[in-house]
Amino acid sequence: VEAEISLYPNPATTRMAINSDEMIRSISILDIKGQMIRTQNVDASQAVLDVQDLANGMYLLSIVTDNGRIVKKVAVTR
């Protein structure tokens, strides 16, 4: 069963909050081509990502929980 994960705001400007009903182990930000931008270890059911250094555009969040990996599409706009 896939974790319930909510992201907001989407599109984001400076930060994005991520909430899960499972423990989040890590979150990776990838560009739309799949290039890794950065990874953040979490070990909690909520996290805040700082995205103010990212250029406008679409990104992929790869969220690793105890039950696997979930990929979400997010937008960054100014």
Side-chain angles (χ1 to χ4, degrees):
V1 177
E2 196 170 272
E4 283 291 319
I5 292 182
S6 62
L7 307 167
Y8 58 90
N10 188 8
T13 52
T14 58
R15 318 196 140 82
M16 175 173 287
I18 298 151
N19 292 314
S20 172
D21 62 354
E22 292 178 9
M23 285 290 280
I24 299 170
R25 296 300 168 194
S26 67
I27 300 170
S28 300
I29 302 174
L30 300 96
D31 68 19
I32 208 69
K33 296 179 194 133
Q35 295 275 308
M36 176 77 67
I37 295 169
R38 70 172 177 260
T39 297
Q40 179 174 316
N41 288 326
V42 178
D43 288 328
S45 60
Q46 323 184 299
V48 175
L49 283 184
D50 184 346
V51 296
Q52 59 192 358
D53 59 329
L54 299 178
N56 284 353
M58 293 299 294
Y59 293 88
L60 299 173
L61 290 187
S62 176
I63 302 162
V64 177
T65 69
D66 287 338
N67 287 326
R69 177 185 308 267
I70 296 161
V71 176
K72 297 276 193 183
K73 225 183 239 191
V74 297
V76 173
T77 59
R78 297 284 181 280

